[in-house]
């Protein structure tokens, strides 16, 4: 029994020793090492908080040291804020007597929220530095952030403190109607390329009004936000061919997080919804990415023209069309959780020189889905009067990228001409691509289009692609999605082939 008591006392002594906080330290001598000498916080919009960035600080010496002060050079006035090994210090700006053990390291996490007026007026950079110690032992790590000015559009606050709302699908959602005579922003129905736009909530286009996006317009949607084109309203996107990698004339819809970490994350914002009764829509040179559903059409009001458009990284659908009437040329869609293109509840569709690829990391998604029914609708079936695909690529990461969902209660008319298609073997009469000439002509089945870089949404092809020079001249669109002249016979898909960098 005595030996157990002795062991208990010994264990208690060790435990108490391990809880010491009074380390013997020496003063820092200015020999700290850092994981980087400059921390670049990616571009942010004015007054929107950045992501959190990390700096690691190393003590390579054999001594436990005390750093007398870690602080931002601009002190309490700095727009940066830090935590040092989980400590907040004085408002995240100043930290005194920070202990760093021998051969150990500590983490500093940095964020910023700054206005355009805080930045340098010539380059819009906001800078500061983290200072370690002072005098002869002073060491510094620079902080740099680009602040971007923008037009902010958001629901107003009502007198009772609630937010302005609009009705979508019979539900009140945070939103507002754009005003062509707004006292602050002027004409909110005209999106120019002068400044980017940041939208909170759903921005609605009023009845009998047209929203126009000029070439080079940039629109950023906050989480849960979107664009709602209401009854009898119209949308015109007037992008144009760009001559540089900056896509200076492309119209771009994306989320409002500008950091590179967010560049390809799906679901950062909701959707562009075209309500029943909206009409006369034209989309040219639009790049849309990282939404829940990219474009959602709900009626056959008038023909919708979509040209030279790229849609990527959508949680549900790239394009969802319910009984719509769409003419599409040079469209590229990749990564969608359910379907890149889904045309349901009938309608009328014609797609030429389009690339519908779906490399979503799942097993049940499609590149293209066609249906003439809709559960819960009245009636549940509606005629699919036309669904034509000419000189297209329909491909992806699953074995079956093309899906037909027929209901005998309504017409179902479709045809694929000169298309490259990925589809596993099937005895179903609807998928007899070589013998069913009523629906399929010159189908290239299960051959690799050899896209340049699918993971980066680069769906270009070269001369080794199975889609090279396999198009029908009768369906040719003279230039591709990038404005490059097509050869004869044309390549399949949205892109004219080119040689890739070695």
């Amino acid at each position: 029994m005595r030996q157990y008591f002795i062991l208990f006392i010994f264990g208690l002594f060790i435990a108490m020793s391990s809880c010491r906080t009074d380390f013997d330290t020496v003063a820092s001598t200015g020999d700290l090492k850092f994981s980087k000498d400059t921390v670049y916080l990616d571009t942010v919009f004015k007054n929107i908080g950045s992501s959190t960035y990390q700096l690691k600080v190393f003590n390579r010496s054999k001594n436990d040291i005390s750093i007398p002060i870690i602080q931002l050079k601009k002190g309490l006035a700095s727009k940066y804020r830090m935590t040092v090994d989980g400590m907040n210090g004085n408002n995240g700006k100043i930290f005194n007597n920070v202990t760093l053990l021998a051969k150990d390291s500590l983490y500093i996490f940095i964020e910023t929220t700054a206005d355009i007026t805080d930045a340098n007026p010539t380059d819009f950079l906001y800078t500061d530095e983290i200072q370690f110690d002072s005098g002869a032992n002073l060491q510094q790590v620079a902080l740099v952030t680009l602040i971007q000015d923008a037009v902010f559009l958001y629901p107003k606050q009502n007198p009772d403190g609630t937010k302005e709302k609009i009705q979508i699908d019979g539900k009140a959602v945070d939103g507002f109607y754009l005003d062509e005579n707004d006292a602050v922003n002027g004409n909110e129905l005209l999106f120019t390329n002068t400044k980017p736009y940041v939208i909170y909530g759903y921005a609605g286009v009023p009845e009998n009004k047209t929203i126009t996006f000029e070439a080079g317009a940039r629109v950023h949607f906050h989480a849960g936000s979107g664009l709602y084109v209401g009854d009898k309203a119209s949308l015109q996107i007037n992008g144009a061919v760009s001559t540089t990698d900056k896509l200076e004339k492309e119209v771009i819809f994306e989320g409002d997080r500008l950091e590179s970490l967010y560049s390809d994350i799906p679901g950062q914002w909701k959707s562009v919804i075209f309500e029943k009764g909206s009409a006369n829509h034209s989309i040219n040179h639009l790049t849309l990415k990282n939404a829940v559903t990219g474009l959602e059409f709900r009626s056959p009001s008038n023909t919708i023209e979509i040209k030279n458009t790229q849609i990527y990284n959508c949680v549900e659908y790239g394009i969802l069309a319910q009984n719509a009437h769409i003419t599409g040329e040079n469209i590229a869609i990749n990564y969608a959780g359910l379907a890149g293109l889904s045309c349901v509840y009938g309608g009328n569709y014609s797609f030429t020189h389009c690339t519908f690829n779906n490399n979503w990391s799942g097993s049940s998604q499609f590149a293209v889905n066609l249906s003439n029914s809709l559960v819960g609708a009245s009636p549940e079936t509606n005629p699919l009067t036309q669904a034509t695909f000419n000189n297209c690529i329909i491909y992806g990461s699953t074995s079956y990228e093309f899906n037909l969902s027929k209901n005998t209660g309504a017409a179902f008319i479709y045809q694929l001409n000169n298309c490259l298609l990925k589809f596993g073997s099937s005895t179903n009469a609807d998928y007899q691509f070589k013998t069913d000439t009523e629906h399929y002509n010159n189908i290239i089945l299960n051959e690799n289009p050899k896209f340049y870089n699918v993971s980066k949404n680069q769906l270009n092809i070269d001369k080794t692609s199975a889609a090279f020079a396999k198009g029908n001249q009768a369906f040719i669109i003279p230039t591709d999605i990038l404005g490059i002249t097509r050869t004869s016979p044309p390549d399949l898909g949205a892109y004219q082939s080119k040689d890739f960098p070695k």
Side-chain angles (χ1 to χ4, degrees):
M1 198 67 181
R2 174 187 171 109
Q3 68 185 80
Y4 289 118
F5 178 74
I6 293 172
L7 286 172
F8 173 78
I9 296 299
F10 183 72
L12 183 62
F13 175 77
I14 293 175
M16 292 177 65
S17 299
S18 67
C19 294
R20 283 186 57 204
T21 58
D22 56 333
F23 298 103
D24 293 326
T25 62
V26 299
S28 171
T29 58
D31 292 323
L32 298 170
K33 304 299 180 184
F34 308 103
S35 58
K36 56 190 75 173
D37 56 15
T38 301
V39 178
Y40 294 97
L41 287 79
D42 285 337
T43 305
V44 296
F45 287 117
K46 65 175 186 177
N47 295 326
I48 293 181
S50 71
S51 291
T52 302
Y53 294 78
Q54 174 185 296
L55 174 70
K56 199 171 184 180
V57 184
F58 302 92
N59 174 15
R60 305 292 194 196
S61 75
K62 298 179 180 179
N63 299 315
D64 299 339
I65 64 173
S66 177
I67 307 170
I69 190 168
I70 299 176
Q71 66 177 350
L72 293 164
K73 183 177 181 180
K74 294 179 180 178
L76 296 176
S78 179
K79 299 299 180 180
Y80 291 101
R81 54 193 177 274
M82 305 183 293
T83 60
V84 177
D85 256 12
M87 299 180 293
N88 292 318
N90 186 350
N91 292 318
K93 318 288 185 182
I94 302 171
F95 301 78
N96 297 108
N97 301 317
V98 178
T99 297
L100 181 53
L101 301 181
K103 304 296 183 180
D104 203 354
S105 60
L106 60 81
Y107 285 95
I108 297 179
F109 296 99
I110 309 121
E111 300 174 338
T112 188
T113 304
D115 198 314
I116 193 70
T117 57
D118 300 314
N120 184 321
T122 59
D123 57 16
F124 302 108
L125 293 177
Y126 180 70
T127 60
D128 201 347
E129 60 187 39
I130 306 174
Q131 297 182 328
F132 299 82
D133 212 332
S134 59
N137 294 331
L138 176 65
Q139 293 180 269
Q140 302 161 310
V141 173
L143 303 175
V144 180
T145 307
L146 177 63
I147 310 297
Q148 190 163 358
D149 198 4
V151 176
F152 290 85
L153 304 171
Y154 49 86
K156 295 180 175 62
Q157 189 163 324
N158 297 318
D160 62 0
T162 61
K163 284 185 180 179
E164 184 180 5
K165 295 184 182 294
I166 63 175
Q167 293 286 325
I168 300 179
D169 295 333
K171 298 178 182 178
V173 300
D174 288 345
F176 58 98
Y177 281 100
L178 297 164
D179 184 355
E180 59 189 331
N181 296 300
D182 184 78
V184 176
N185 300 320
N187 186 359
E188 294 179 337
L189 292 172
L190 177 62
F191 283 61
T192 70
N193 59 15
T194 304
K195 293 181 182 180
Y197 295 78
V198 182
I199 293 176
Y200 289 78
Y202 267 93
V205 184
E207 185 174 328
N208 295 317
K209 298 295 183 179
T210 298
I211 186 169
T212 302
F213 297 85
E214 293 184 345
R218 302 290 190 261
V219 186
H220 301 266
F221 296 90
H222 191 63
S225 300
L227 182 64
Y228 177 71
V229 186
D231 185 36
K232 299 183 179 65
S234 298
L235 174 141
Q236 302 290 313
I237 292 179
N238 301 324
V241 175
S242 299
T243 57
T244 73
D245 292 338
K246 293 182 179 180
L247 301 177
E248 70 280 358
K249 293 185 179 181
E250 191 86 355
V251 175
I252 299 178
F253 288 0
E254 60 183 324
D256 66 346
R257 300 311 300 256
L258 304 184
E259 302 93 329
S260 56
L261 173 66
Y262 291 87
S263 61
D264 294 314
I265 295 180
Q268 295 179 46
W269 57 285
K270 286 286 191 178
S271 179
V272 181
I273 297 175
F274 297 80
E275 191 52 88
K276 296 175 182 177
S278 66
N280 301 319
H281 310 303
S282 177
I283 298 173
N284 194 17
H285 284 286
L286 167 68
T287 294
L288 184 156
K289 59 181 183 175
N290 306 333
V292 174
T293 290
L295 304 176
E296 184 176 344
F297 300 98
R298 298 182 169 182
S299 79
S301 304
N302 279 317
T303 298
I304 303 151
E305 291 188 349
I306 307 175
K307 298 180 180 180
N308 309 305
T309 290
Q310 305 171 66
I311 301 176
Y312 304 127
N313 310 327
C314 294
V315 173
E316 295 182 354
Y317 303 97
I319 295 176
L320 174 60
Q322 298 180 16
N323 190 28
H325 189 166
I326 299 176
T327 299
E329 300 175 358
N330 290 335
I331 299 172
I333 301 178
N334 191 27
Y335 287 112
L338 297 177
L341 170 69
S342 186
C343 302
V344 301
Y345 202 45
N348 188 303
Y349 308 96
S350 175
F351 295 100
T352 304
H353 276 293
C354 296
T355 299
F356 301 112
N357 188 71
N358 200 350
N359 267 63
W360 188 267
S361 57
S363 59
S364 58
Q365 70 276 2
F366 302 106
V368 173
N369 174 60
L370 300 178
S371 168
N372 62 349
S373 62
L374 184 64
V375 175
S378 182
E380 284 200 355
T381 60
N382 207 55
L384 179 65
T385 58
Q386 173 181 279
T388 302
F389 296 83
N390 301 317
N391 291 353
C392 292
I393 297 174
I394 301 173
Y395 203 76
S397 56
T398 70
S399 298
Y400 299 89
E401 290 293 346
F402 181 64
N403 185 61
L404 302 174
S405 182
K406 291 183 180 181
N407 189 303
T408 57
F412 197 101
I413 301 172
Y414 64 99
Q415 189 174 64
L416 279 66
N417 301 306
N418 296 81
C419 293
L420 187 155
L421 178 66
K422 187 175 183 182
F423 195 94
S425 61
S426 175
T427 58
N428 189 314
D430 293 333
Y431 303 109
Q432 300 310 305
F433 305 105
K434 299 299 184 181
T435 58
D436 179 3
T437 56
E438 178 185 356
H439 298 110
Y440 306 107
N441 295 292
N442 300 315
I443 302 301
I444 302 171
L445 195 60
N446 298 323
E447 293 192 30
N448 195 339
K450 296 184 179 179
F451 297 125
Y452 177 53
N453 193 328
V454 171
S455 65
K456 293 184 178 180
N457 295 314
Q458 296 172 336
L459 303 181
N460 314 73
I461 63 171
D462 65 10
K463 293 179 181 180
T464 67
S465 170
F468 173 71
K470 295 299 194 303
N472 188 327
Q473 186 70 22
F475 305 125
I476 191 171
I477 305 298
T479 57
D480 78 348
I481 193 170
L482 302 176
I484 299 171
T485 300
R486 283 194 165 93
T487 55
S488 179
D491 302 327
L492 303 182
Y495 293 91
Q496 169 66 24
S497 57
K498 65 177 184 179
D499 293 329
F500 299 145
K502 301 297 183 183

